[in-house]
Amino acid sequence: MRQEPAGSLRYLTVVTYGRTGSTVLQAALNALPGVLVRGENYSALRGLNAYVQAVAETADRHHAGKPTHPWYGSRRLSPADVVTDLRRHVLDTLLRPQPDTTWVGFKEVRYEPGHFPTYDDLLNYLLFLNKLFPGICYVVNVRDPEAAARSGWWPGNANALEVLTTTRAWLAAATDDLQSMLGPSRAVLLDYEAWTADTGELISAFDRLGLPRADDAVRAAVGQRLEHGPHSRGSK
């Protein structure tokens, strides 16, 4: 079991959708000293959100200590203890920081309406990540919906443009809401077209989040061709 001193790790997550250059962005973040950003995980943490919410509602509404009560055991439930234990579990089994890691996190592309019924559901989940990983920073990345719709798997989706337009709007709104609720240095909005044209956009955004500086390494990572997908550089 991991025994990290309190506050020894900082957290970040890349919030985006498919074909936005997110793997290049992941590589650029991993080029920073002490930063470890894992890849996608099929939104595994969404299930933890539902679990914590259910525990919290049970603890809040039911306080049964008698074995004959239908909510027996709810008196001793501690949602805070559950979150602490889940944090330890995710770090040990999913994120697996290394001895020299100072920032750890992951990227995820599953933020379209098909994954979240409403914008409020999406924002609720992003705020849960802040509960699970206190102080987490959000790197929100978007791309022109028409360009993204022409890339990768999206041409097979008849509703791609509508889905991507909505997703981009949701992520832009989420960035504003996160900055308002948590502070301006906790979330940045990146535009694929802007940062691929000028890597300085990435460097500036990383700096606003307080990430370590390694400008040449970031430029090299953005310039490196990827080995996955039908389109190499910036395909996902």
mmCIF file of all heavy atoms in Angstrom, residues 87-128:
data_model
loop_
_atom_site.group_PDB
_atom_site.id
_atom_site.type_symbol
_atom_site.label_atom_id
_atom_site.label_comp_id
_atom_site.label_asym_id
_atom_site.label_seq_id
_atom_site.Cartn_x
_atom_site.Cartn_y
_atom_site.Cartn_z
ATOM 1 N N ARG A 87 -8.627 6.967 -3.319
ATOM 2 C CA ARG A 87 -7.461 7.694 -3.848
ATOM 3 C C ARG A 87 -6.234 6.805 -3.801
ATOM 4 O O ARG A 87 -5.471 6.704 -4.771
ATOM 5 C CB ARG A 87 -7.236 8.970 -3.036
ATOM 6 C CG ARG A 87 -6.035 9.801 -3.530
ATOM 7 C CD ARG A 87 -5.810 11.024 -2.632
ATOM 8 N NE ARG A 87 -7.050 11.761 -2.478
ATOM 9 C CZ ARG A 87 -7.633 11.996 -1.301
ATOM 10 N NH1 ARG A 87 -7.074 11.557 -0.179
ATOM 11 N NH2 ARG A 87 -8.765 12.662 -1.243
ATOM 12 N N ARG A 88 -6.035 6.160 -2.672
ATOM 13 C CA ARG A 88 -4.888 5.255 -2.515
ATOM 14 C C ARG A 88 -4.968 4.118 -3.530
ATOM 15 O O ARG A 88 -3.961 3.739 -4.151
ATOM 16 C CB ARG A 88 -4.876 4.717 -1.082
ATOM 17 C CG ARG A 88 -3.651 3.916 -0.707
ATOM 18 C CD ARG A 88 -3.522 3.787 0.801
ATOM 19 N NE ARG A 88 -4.793 3.451 1.433
ATOM 20 C CZ ARG A 88 -5.376 4.218 2.361
ATOM 21 N NH1 ARG A 88 -4.831 5.351 2.751
ATOM 22 N NH2 ARG A 88 -6.520 3.841 2.912
ATOM 23 N N HIS A 89 -6.166 3.584 -3.722
ATOM 24 C CA HIS A 89 -6.348 2.485 -4.674
ATOM 25 C C HIS A 89 -6.013 2.917 -6.101
ATOM 26 O O HIS A 89 -5.294 2.208 -6.826
ATOM 27 C CB HIS A 89 -7.793 1.990 -4.605
ATOM 28 C CG HIS A 89 -8.166 1.083 -5.735
ATOM 29 N ND1 HIS A 89 -7.791 -0.235 -5.780
ATOM 30 C CD2 HIS A 89 -8.872 1.319 -6.883
ATOM 31 C CE1 HIS A 89 -8.239 -0.786 -6.896
ATOM 32 N NE2 HIS A 89 -8.899 0.141 -7.578
ATOM 33 N N VAL A 90 -6.523 4.066 -6.513
ATOM 34 C CA VAL A 90 -6.282 4.532 -7.889
ATOM 35 C C VAL A 90 -4.802 4.822 -8.106
ATOM 36 O O VAL A 90 -4.230 4.495 -9.155
ATOM 37 C CB VAL A 90 -7.146 5.768 -8.201
ATOM 38 C CG1 VAL A 90 -6.784 6.350 -9.566
ATOM 39 C CG2 VAL A 90 -8.625 5.406 -8.160
ATOM 40 N N LEU A 91 -4.172 5.422 -7.128
ATOM 41 C CA LEU A 91 -2.733 5.685 -7.258
ATOM 42 C C LEU A 91 -1.942 4.389 -7.366
ATOM 43 O O LEU A 91 -1.043 4.270 -8.209
ATOM 44 C CB LEU A 91 -2.242 6.498 -6.060
ATOM 45 C CG LEU A 91 -2.625 7.975 -6.034
ATOM 46 C CD1 LEU A 91 -2.266 8.591 -4.690
ATOM 47 C CD2 LEU A 91 -1.942 8.732 -7.164
ATOM 48 N N ASP A 92 -2.278 3.409 -6.555
ATOM 49 C CA ASP A 92 -1.515 2.161 -6.532
ATOM 50 C C ASP A 92 -1.735 1.301 -7.768
ATOM 51 O O ASP A 92 -0.816 0.611 -8.229
ATOM 52 C CB ASP A 92 -1.879 1.341 -5.297
ATOM 53 C CG ASP A 92 -1.265 1.894 -4.021
ATOM 54 O OD1 ASP A 92 -0.345 2.722 -4.115
ATOM 55 O OD2 ASP A 92 -1.714 1.479 -2.935
ATOM 56 N N THR A 93 -2.952 1.290 -8.297
ATOM 57 C CA THR A 93 -3.288 0.323 -9.346
ATOM 58 C C THR A 93 -3.421 0.926 -10.736
ATOM 59 O O THR A 93 -3.218 0.227 -11.726
ATOM 60 C CB THR A 93 -4.612 -0.388 -9.006
ATOM 61 O OG1 THR A 93 -5.676 0.573 -8.979
ATOM 62 C CG2 THR A 93 -4.524 -1.090 -7.657
ATOM 63 N N LEU A 94 -3.763 2.211 -10.838
ATOM 64 C CA LEU A 94 -4.021 2.807 -12.150
ATOM 65 C C LEU A 94 -2.966 3.825 -12.554
ATOM 66 O O LEU A 94 -2.385 3.739 -13.638
ATOM 67 C CB LEU A 94 -5.411 3.467 -12.158
ATOM 68 C CG LEU A 94 -5.891 4.014 -13.505
ATOM 69 C CD1 LEU A 94 -6.132 2.852 -14.487
ATOM 70 C CD2 LEU A 94 -7.176 4.831 -13.323
ATOM 71 N N LEU A 95 -2.673 4.771 -11.695
ATOM 72 C CA LEU A 95 -1.747 5.849 -12.053
ATOM 73 C C LEU A 95 -0.292 5.489 -11.777
ATOM 74 O O LEU A 95 0.597 5.906 -12.504
ATOM 75 C CB LEU A 95 -2.129 7.128 -11.317
ATOM 76 C CG LEU A 95 -3.546 7.645 -11.618
ATOM 77 C CD1 LEU A 95 -3.792 8.960 -10.901
ATOM 78 C CD2 LEU A 95 -3.775 7.797 -13.124
ATOM 79 N N ARG A 96 -0.033 4.764 -10.716
ATOM 80 C CA ARG A 96 1.290 4.212 -10.405
ATOM 81 C C ARG A 96 2.434 5.225 -10.548
ATOM 82 O O ARG A 96 3.314 5.069 -11.387
ATOM 83 C CB ARG A 96 1.551 2.988 -11.295
ATOM 84 C CG ARG A 96 0.642 1.814 -10.991
ATOM 85 C CD ARG A 96 0.696 0.740 -12.047
ATOM 86 N NE ARG A 96 -0.025 1.132 -13.245
ATOM 87 C CZ ARG A 96 0.512 1.200 -14.448
ATOM 88 N NH1 ARG A 96 1.777 0.904 -14.631
ATOM 89 N NH2 ARG A 96 -0.218 1.560 -15.490
ATOM 90 N N PRO A 97 2.421 6.282 -9.747
ATOM 91 C CA PRO A 97 3.523 7.246 -9.811
ATOM 92 C C PRO A 97 4.866 6.596 -9.500
ATOM 93 O O PRO A 97 4.942 5.626 -8.744
ATOM 94 C CB PRO A 97 3.139 8.286 -8.745
ATOM 95 C CG PRO A 97 2.164 7.594 -7.856
ATOM 96 C CD PRO A 97 1.435 6.613 -8.713
ATOM 97 N N GLN A 98 5.905 7.133 -10.118
ATOM 98 C CA GLN A 98 7.265 6.633 -9.914
ATOM 99 C C GLN A 98 7.919 7.389 -8.752
ATOM 100 O O GLN A 98 7.404 8.403 -8.279
ATOM 101 C CB GLN A 98 8.068 6.817 -11.203
ATOM 102 C CG GLN A 98 7.449 6.139 -12.419
ATOM 103 C CD GLN A 98 7.298 4.643 -12.221
ATOM 104 O OE1 GLN A 98 8.257 3.961 -11.870
ATOM 105 N NE2 GLN A 98 6.091 4.130 -12.439
ATOM 106 N N PRO A 99 9.068 6.910 -8.301
ATOM 107 C CA PRO A 99 9.730 7.579 -7.167
ATOM 108 C C PRO A 99 10.021 9.059 -7.397
ATOM 109 O O PRO A 99 10.022 9.841 -6.449
ATOM 110 C CB PRO A 99 11.030 6.775 -7.005
ATOM 111 C CG PRO A 99 10.686 5.412 -7.508
ATOM 112 C CD PRO A 99 9.749 5.645 -8.658
ATOM 113 N N ASP A 100 10.269 9.440 -8.666
ATOM 114 C CA ASP A 100 10.593 10.838 -8.948
ATOM 115 C C ASP A 100 9.380 11.640 -9.438
ATOM 116 O O ASP A 100 9.522 12.780 -9.874
ATOM 117 C CB ASP A 100 11.710 10.929 -9.988
ATOM 118 C CG ASP A 100 11.327 10.304 -11.330
ATOM 119 O OD1 ASP A 100 10.293 9.597 -11.390
ATOM 120 O OD2 ASP A 100 12.053 10.518 -12.319
ATOM 121 N N THR A 101 8.177 11.061 -9.355
ATOM 122 C CA THR A 101 6.974 11.742 -9.825
ATOM 123 C C THR A 101 6.529 12.801 -8.820
ATOM 124 O O THR A 101 6.392 12.517 -7.624
ATOM 125 C CB THR A 101 5.824 10.744 -10.041
ATOM 126 O OG1 THR A 101 6.222 9.771 -11.012
ATOM 127 C CG2 THR A 101 4.570 11.457 -10.526
ATOM 128 N N THR A 102 6.297 14.008 -9.321
ATOM 129 C CA THR A 102 5.742 15.081 -8.484
ATOM 130 C C THR A 102 4.337 15.464 -8.929
ATOM 131 O O THR A 102 3.555 15.989 -8.133
ATOM 132 C CB THR A 102 6.639 16.328 -8.526
ATOM 133 O OG1 THR A 102 6.815 16.742 -9.888
ATOM 134 C CG2 THR A 102 8.000 16.032 -7.899
ATOM 135 N N TRP A 103 4.020 15.232 -10.204
ATOM 136 C CA TRP A 103 2.678 15.443 -10.748
ATOM 137 C C TRP A 103 2.242 14.138 -11.410
ATOM 138 O O TRP A 103 2.995 13.557 -12.191
ATOM 139 C CB TRP A 103 2.678 16.533 -11.822
ATOM 140 C CG TRP A 103 2.832 17.934 -11.342
ATOM 141 C CD1 TRP A 103 3.978 18.545 -10.918
ATOM 142 C CD2 TRP A 103 1.796 18.924 -11.276
ATOM 143 N NE1 TRP A 103 3.720 19.853 -10.602
ATOM 144 C CE2 TRP A 103 2.390 20.119 -10.813
ATOM 145 C CE3 TRP A 103 0.428 18.923 -11.571
ATOM 146 C CZ2 TRP A 103 1.671 21.291 -10.623
ATOM 147 C CZ3 TRP A 103 -0.284 20.097 -11.400
ATOM 148 C CH2 TRP A 103 0.321 21.264 -10.917
ATOM 149 N N VAL A 104 1.024 13.705 -11.123
ATOM 150 C CA VAL A 104 0.534 12.475 -11.733
ATOM 151 C C VAL A 104 -0.911 12.676 -12.178
ATOM 152 O O VAL A 104 -1.668 13.431 -11.561
ATOM 153 C CB VAL A 104 0.648 11.283 -10.756
ATOM 154 C CG1 VAL A 104 -0.315 11.427 -9.583
ATOM 155 C CG2 VAL A 104 0.435 9.958 -11.466
ATOM 156 N N GLY A 105 -1.274 12.009 -13.272
ATOM 157 C CA GLY A 105 -2.644 12.137 -13.756
ATOM 158 C C GLY A 105 -2.902 11.257 -14.954
ATOM 159 O O GLY A 105 -2.188 10.292 -15.206
ATOM 160 N N PHE A 106 -3.930 11.611 -15.714
ATOM 161 C CA PHE A 106 -4.336 10.797 -16.858
ATOM 162 C C PHE A 106 -5.094 11.676 -17.849
ATOM 163 O O PHE A 106 -5.546 12.770 -17.519
ATOM 164 C CB PHE A 106 -5.236 9.643 -16.397
ATOM 165 C CG PHE A 106 -6.552 10.096 -15.807
ATOM 166 C CD1 PHE A 106 -7.701 10.140 -16.585
ATOM 167 C CD2 PHE A 106 -6.635 10.499 -14.479
ATOM 168 C CE1 PHE A 106 -8.908 10.572 -16.045
ATOM 169 C CE2 PHE A 106 -7.835 10.926 -13.937
ATOM 170 C CZ PHE A 106 -8.971 10.959 -14.726
ATOM 171 N N LYS A 107 -5.225 11.171 -19.062
ATOM 172 C CA LYS A 107 -6.072 11.850 -20.046
ATOM 173 C C LYS A 107 -7.286 10.974 -20.326
ATOM 174 O O LYS A 107 -7.258 9.753 -20.160
ATOM 175 C CB LYS A 107 -5.307 12.122 -21.336
ATOM 176 C CG LYS A 107 -5.123 10.898 -22.223
ATOM 177 C CD LYS A 107 -5.052 11.277 -23.693
ATOM 178 C CE LYS A 107 -4.759 10.063 -24.536
ATOM 179 N NZ LYS A 107 -5.066 10.246 -25.951
ATOM 180 N N GLU A 108 -8.358 11.628 -20.741
ATOM 181 C CA GLU A 108 -9.561 10.903 -21.131
ATOM 182 C C GLU A 108 -10.267 11.659 -22.248
ATOM 183 O O GLU A 108 -10.297 12.893 -22.242
ATOM 184 C CB GLU A 108 -10.495 10.720 -19.937
ATOM 185 C CG GLU A 108 -11.688 9.817 -20.229
ATOM 186 C CD GLU A 108 -11.265 8.457 -20.778
ATOM 187 O OE1 GLU A 108 -10.765 7.623 -20.019
ATOM 188 O OE2 GLU A 108 -11.422 8.264 -22.010
ATOM 189 N N VAL A 109 -10.792 10.898 -23.218
ATOM 190 C CA VAL A 109 -11.471 11.508 -24.370
ATOM 191 C C VAL A 109 -12.977 11.282 -24.341
ATOM 192 O O VAL A 109 -13.683 11.747 -25.234
ATOM 193 C CB VAL A 109 -10.894 10.964 -25.701
ATOM 194 C CG1 VAL A 109 -9.409 11.254 -25.810
ATOM 195 C CG2 VAL A 109 -11.182 9.472 -25.857
ATOM 196 N N ARG A 110 -13.470 10.606 -23.343
ATOM 197 C CA ARG A 110 -14.891 10.229 -23.326
ATOM 198 C C ARG A 110 -15.726 11.253 -22.568
ATOM 199 O O ARG A 110 -16.178 11.020 -21.451
ATOM 200 C CB ARG A 110 -15.036 8.821 -22.736
ATOM 201 C CG ARG A 110 -14.449 7.761 -23.657
ATOM 202 C CD ARG A 110 -14.161 6.457 -22.968
ATOM 203 N NE ARG A 110 -13.615 5.492 -23.922
ATOM 204 C CZ ARG A 110 -12.330 5.464 -24.294
ATOM 205 N NH1 ARG A 110 -11.478 6.317 -23.782
ATOM 206 N NH2 ARG A 110 -11.917 4.587 -25.189
ATOM 207 N N TYR A 111 -15.925 12.396 -23.225
ATOM 208 C CA TYR A 111 -16.710 13.469 -22.615
ATOM 209 C C TYR A 111 -17.844 13.942 -23.523
ATOM 210 O O TYR A 111 -18.436 14.983 -23.260
ATOM 211 C CB TYR A 111 -15.797 14.652 -22.253
ATOM 212 C CG TYR A 111 -14.933 14.378 -21.048
ATOM 213 C CD1 TYR A 111 -13.608 13.962 -21.192
ATOM 214 C CD2 TYR A 111 -15.442 14.510 -19.765
ATOM 215 C CE1 TYR A 111 -12.815 13.697 -20.078
ATOM 216 C CE2 TYR A 111 -14.654 14.240 -18.647
ATOM 217 C CZ TYR A 111 -13.342 13.841 -18.815
ATOM 218 O OH TYR A 111 -12.571 13.564 -17.715
ATOM 219 N N GLU A 112 -18.157 13.182 -24.550
ATOM 220 C CA GLU A 112 -19.255 13.582 -25.440
ATOM 221 C C GLU A 112 -20.609 13.316 -24.765
ATOM 222 O O GLU A 112 -20.690 12.591 -23.782
ATOM 223 C CB GLU A 112 -19.200 12.804 -26.756
ATOM 224 C CG GLU A 112 -17.879 12.869 -27.491
ATOM 225 C CD GLU A 112 -17.046 11.636 -27.216
ATOM 226 O OE1 GLU A 112 -17.359 10.546 -27.725
ATOM 227 O OE2 GLU A 112 -16.082 11.777 -26.449
ATOM 228 N N PRO A 113 -21.676 13.904 -25.332
ATOM 229 C CA PRO A 113 -23.024 13.671 -24.786
ATOM 230 C C PRO A 113 -23.393 12.194 -24.691
ATOM 231 O O PRO A 113 -24.193 11.821 -23.830
ATOM 232 C CB PRO A 113 -23.924 14.417 -25.771
ATOM 233 C CG PRO A 113 -23.066 15.514 -26.300
ATOM 234 C CD PRO A 113 -21.678 14.930 -26.393
ATOM 235 N N GLY A 114 -22.842 11.345 -25.526
ATOM 236 C CA GLY A 114 -23.128 9.923 -25.425
ATOM 237 C C GLY A 114 -22.627 9.306 -24.134
ATOM 238 O O GLY A 114 -23.129 8.271 -23.685
ATOM 239 N N HIS A 115 -21.635 9.942 -23.510
ATOM 240 C CA HIS A 115 -21.094 9.454 -22.242
ATOM 241 C C HIS A 115 -21.691 10.185 -21.045
ATOM 242 O O HIS A 115 -21.751 9.630 -19.946
ATOM 243 C CB HIS A 115 -19.572 9.602 -22.232
ATOM 244 C CG HIS A 115 -18.881 8.774 -23.270
ATOM 245 N ND1 HIS A 115 -18.776 7.402 -23.182
ATOM 246 C CD2 HIS A 115 -18.275 9.121 -24.437
ATOM 247 C CE1 HIS A 115 -18.122 6.936 -24.235
ATOM 248 N NE2 HIS A 115 -17.806 7.954 -25.010
ATOM 249 N N PHE A 116 -22.092 11.435 -21.240
ATOM 250 C CA PHE A 116 -22.712 12.233 -20.186
ATOM 251 C C PHE A 116 -24.042 12.759 -20.701
ATOM 252 O O PHE A 116 -24.078 13.507 -21.680
ATOM 253 C CB PHE A 116 -21.811 13.404 -19.788
ATOM 254 C CG PHE A 116 -20.562 12.983 -19.070
ATOM 255 C CD1 PHE A 116 -19.404 12.689 -19.773
ATOM 256 C CD2 PHE A 116 -20.545 12.879 -17.682
ATOM 257 C CE1 PHE A 116 -18.248 12.296 -19.119
ATOM 258 C CE2 PHE A 116 -19.398 12.478 -17.018
ATOM 259 C CZ PHE A 116 -18.248 12.184 -17.729
ATOM 260 N N PRO A 117 -25.161 12.376 -20.072
ATOM 261 C CA PRO A 117 -26.481 12.788 -20.567
ATOM 262 C C PRO A 117 -26.661 14.304 -20.624
ATOM 263 O O PRO A 117 -27.323 14.820 -21.522
ATOM 264 C CB PRO A 117 -27.446 12.150 -19.564
ATOM 265 C CG PRO A 117 -26.682 11.022 -18.957
ATOM 266 C CD PRO A 117 -25.263 11.481 -18.910
ATOM 267 N N THR A 118 -26.086 15.021 -19.642
ATOM 268 C CA THR A 118 -26.251 16.473 -19.591
ATOM 269 C C THR A 118 -24.927 17.132 -19.236
ATOM 270 O O THR A 118 -23.996 16.481 -18.717
ATOM 271 C CB THR A 118 -27.294 16.894 -18.537
ATOM 272 O OG1 THR A 118 -26.757 16.623 -17.216
ATOM 273 C CG2 THR A 118 -28.613 16.134 -18.713
ATOM 274 N N TYR A 119 -24.876 18.434 -19.448
ATOM 275 C CA TYR A 119 -23.685 19.192 -19.051
ATOM 276 C C TYR A 119 -23.468 19.116 -17.540
ATOM 277 O O TYR A 119 -22.331 18.992 -17.076
ATOM 278 C CB TYR A 119 -23.817 20.654 -19.481
ATOM 279 C CG TYR A 119 -22.730 21.520 -18.895
ATOM 280 C CD1 TYR A 119 -21.427 21.450 -19.383
ATOM 281 C CD2 TYR A 119 -22.994 22.386 -17.820
ATOM 282 C CE1 TYR A 119 -20.412 22.213 -18.821
ATOM 283 C CE2 TYR A 119 -21.989 23.151 -17.262
ATOM 284 C CZ TYR A 119 -20.696 23.068 -17.768
ATOM 285 O OH TYR A 119 -19.696 23.824 -17.205
ATOM 286 N N ASP A 120 -24.547 19.186 -16.770
ATOM 287 C CA ASP A 120 -24.419 19.132 -15.317
ATOM 288 C C ASP A 120 -23.785 17.822 -14.858
ATOM 289 O O ASP A 120 -23.022 17.800 -13.882
ATOM 290 C CB ASP A 120 -25.783 19.314 -14.653
ATOM 291 C CG ASP A 120 -26.286 20.746 -14.742
ATOM 292 O OD1 ASP A 120 -25.470 21.647 -15.024
ATOM 293 O OD2 ASP A 120 -27.497 20.965 -14.537
ATOM 294 N N ASP A 121 -24.099 16.712 -15.543
ATOM 295 C CA ASP A 121 -23.485 15.425 -15.205
ATOM 296 C C ASP A 121 -21.980 15.477 -15.438
ATOM 297 O O ASP A 121 -21.194 14.960 -14.637
ATOM 298 C CB ASP A 121 -24.103 14.306 -16.043
ATOM 299 C CG ASP A 121 -25.542 14.005 -15.660
ATOM 300 O OD1 ASP A 121 -25.843 14.010 -14.461
ATOM 301 O OD2 ASP A 121 -26.359 13.790 -16.575
ATOM 302 N N LEU A 122 -21.589 16.095 -16.546
ATOM 303 C CA LEU A 122 -20.167 16.206 -16.861
ATOM 304 C C LEU A 122 -19.450 17.053 -15.814
ATOM 305 O O LEU A 122 -18.390 16.669 -15.295
ATOM 306 C CB LEU A 122 -19.997 16.806 -18.258
ATOM 307 C CG LEU A 122 -18.570 16.935 -18.803
ATOM 308 C CD1 LEU A 122 -18.584 16.800 -20.329
ATOM 309 C CD2 LEU A 122 -17.939 18.270 -18.430
ATOM 310 N N LEU A 123 -20.017 18.214 -15.483
ATOM 311 C CA LEU A 123 -19.382 19.088 -14.499
ATOM 312 C C LEU A 123 -19.318 18.416 -13.134
ATOM 313 O O LEU A 123 -18.305 18.531 -12.424
ATOM 314 C CB LEU A 123 -20.143 20.410 -14.413
ATOM 315 C CG LEU A 123 -19.551 21.450 -13.462
ATOM 316 C CD1 LEU A 123 -18.138 21.847 -13.890
ATOM 317 C CD2 LEU A 123 -20.444 22.691 -13.392
ATOM 318 N N ASN A 124 -20.359 17.704 -12.763
ATOM 319 C CA ASN A 124 -20.368 16.983 -11.487
ATOM 320 C C ASN A 124 -19.216 15.997 -11.413
ATOM 321 O O ASN A 124 -18.543 15.865 -10.379
ATOM 322 C CB ASN A 124 -21.707 16.263 -11.302
ATOM 323 C CG ASN A 124 -21.724 15.353 -10.084
ATOM 324 O OD1 ASN A 124 -21.345 14.187 -10.156
ATOM 325 N ND2 ASN A 124 -22.172 15.884 -8.959
ATOM 326 N N TYR A 125 -18.959 15.292 -12.508
ATOM 327 C CA TYR A 125 -17.868 14.324 -12.522
ATOM 328 C C TYR A 125 -16.513 15.022 -12.409
ATOM 329 O O TYR A 125 -15.626 14.571 -11.661
ATOM 330 C CB TYR A 125 -17.922 13.484 -13.792
ATOM 331 C CG TYR A 125 -16.706 12.616 -13.981
ATOM 332 C CD1 TYR A 125 -16.434 11.558 -13.115
ATOM 333 C CD2 TYR A 125 -15.789 12.875 -15.005
ATOM 334 C CE1 TYR A 125 -15.303 10.775 -13.262
ATOM 335 C CE2 TYR A 125 -14.661 12.086 -15.165
ATOM 336 C CZ TYR A 125 -14.413 11.043 -14.296
ATOM 337 O OH TYR A 125 -13.290 10.275 -14.436
ATOM 338 N N LEU A 126 -16.335 16.123 -13.136
ATOM 339 C CA LEU A 126 -15.066 16.849 -13.057
ATOM 340 C C LEU A 126 -14.815 17.356 -11.640
ATOM 341 O O LEU A 126 -13.679 17.324 -11.154
ATOM 342 C CB LEU A 126 -15.057 18.003 -14.053
ATOM 343 C CG LEU A 126 -15.053 17.606 -15.543
ATOM 344 C CD1 LEU A 126 -15.124 18.842 -16.423
ATOM 345 C CD2 LEU A 126 -13.814 16.776 -15.887
ATOM 346 N N LEU A 127 -15.863 17.788 -10.968
ATOM 347 C CA LEU A 127 -15.710 18.230 -9.583
ATOM 348 C C LEU A 127 -15.433 17.054 -8.643
ATOM 349 O O LEU A 127 -14.720 17.202 -7.646
ATOM 350 C CB LEU A 127 -16.951 18.992 -9.139
ATOM 351 C CG LEU A 127 -17.138 20.363 -9.805
ATOM 352 C CD1 LEU A 127 -18.502 20.941 -9.475
ATOM 353 C CD2 LEU A 127 -16.023 21.325 -9.383
ATOM 354 N N PHE A 128 -15.981 15.886 -8.973
ATOM 355 C CA PHE A 128 -15.645 14.692 -8.192
ATOM 356 C C PHE A 128 -14.148 14.406 -8.270
ATOM 357 O O PHE A 128 -13.528 13.993 -7.271
ATOM 358 C CB PHE A 128 -16.427 13.482 -8.687
ATOM 359 C CG PHE A 128 -15.879 12.171 -8.181
ATOM 360 C CD1 PHE A 128 -16.069 11.785 -6.861
ATOM 361 C CD2 PHE A 128 -15.168 11.327 -9.029
ATOM 362 C CE1 PHE A 128 -15.537 10.578 -6.377
ATOM 363 C CE2 PHE A 128 -14.640 10.129 -8.558
ATOM 364 C CZ PHE A 128 -14.824 9.756 -7.229
#
